[in-house]
Every structure is written in C-alpha cells, then in structure tokens.
Amino acid sequence: MINMDEINAEIAALEAGKTTYATCERLSILYNVRNNLMSNQQPNQLSPNTSYYSYSSEPDSEFKEIARNADFEHLLHVLDEHMKAIEAMYPREYRSVLRKIKEGA
C-alpha cells in the first residue's frame, strides 16, 4: 500500500532541490497521487471542483449585488467620489469609463 508519509517526504525533497523538467514531472505525478488518495477518488474520476464550460452568464460580482440593493442616489454619490480620484490619478482611464457609459446610454 502507498504510504502518504513517503509521498509527502518525496514531494518535500523534490521541492527543496533543483528545479528541472524531470523534477517538475515527478512532482506532478506525486501531487496527483496524493490528491487522489486524500480525496478517496479514483485517479480518472472528476472531482466536484472541476469547472465545466458553461454558456450561462458569469455570476454577478460582489459589487453588482451590493449596488443593486443600494439607494440609487447614494450609489451615484459614492461612485462620483471615486471617479474624481480616478480622474486625478488616471485621466485616460477616467475618459475610457465615461466613453463606455455614454456608449451604453
């Protein structure tokens, strides 16, 4: 039976040594073996964390979620303050944002 301590020791030794293609290849194999043993899955079984390509839109950002629930005038006030800072520090970015907003209006 494969001993997890031996795998971890070998990984640690390889990580501490010189980085070569052969070392990276061996580390890759050991990482996969360790991950599969730790998750009790078959080597070729997809994990629940595997992301699949989807045609659905991406989930909303934290900003969008909060902005949707905010008072509109308050939201404009906060964004205006930040846009002034962007204008002062990054005038090209400021103009780009305004252009994008105008295009969508």
Side-chain angles (χ1 to χ4, degrees):
M1 175 138 196
I2 298 175
N3 183 334
M4 189 65 73
D5 292 331
E6 289 177 24
I7 292 173
N8 287 329
E10 183 68 17
I11 288 173
L14 289 169
E15 288 176 338
K18 185 177 178 184
T19 303
T20 64
Y21 285 111
T23 302
C24 292
E25 183 179 22
R26 182 138 173 93
L27 279 169
S28 175
I29 293 167
L30 289 169
Y31 289 145
N32 282 318
V33 169
R34 181 179 66 183
N35 291 344
N36 285 321
L37 289 174
M38 290 175 66
S39 64
N40 293 325
Q41 294 180 342
Q42 297 299 322
N44 293 326
Q45 182 179 351
L46 295 175
S47 71
N49 296 333
T50 303
S51 60
Y52 298 94
Y53 185 79
S54 171
Y55 288 102
S56 65
S57 61
E58 293 198 19
D60 284 341
S61 67
E62 179 183 15
F63 171 77
K64 282 184 179 180
E65 290 176 14
I66 292 172
R68 278 197 184 97
N69 296 323
D71 174 67
F72 186 72
E73 288 302 317
H74 178 69
L75 176 64
L76 284 179
H77 175 73
V78 170
L79 289 175
D80 189 49
E81 286 178 11
H82 287 279
M83 288 302 292
K84 288 176 186 172
I86 291 172
E87 181 182 22
M89 297 181 70
Y90 306 102
R92 289 179 62 198
E93 180 66 18
Y94 174 81
R95 288 190 300 276
S96 174
V97 170
L98 291 183
R99 187 185 75 253
K100 288 178 183 179
I101 291 172
K102 286 178 185 176
E103 289 172 358

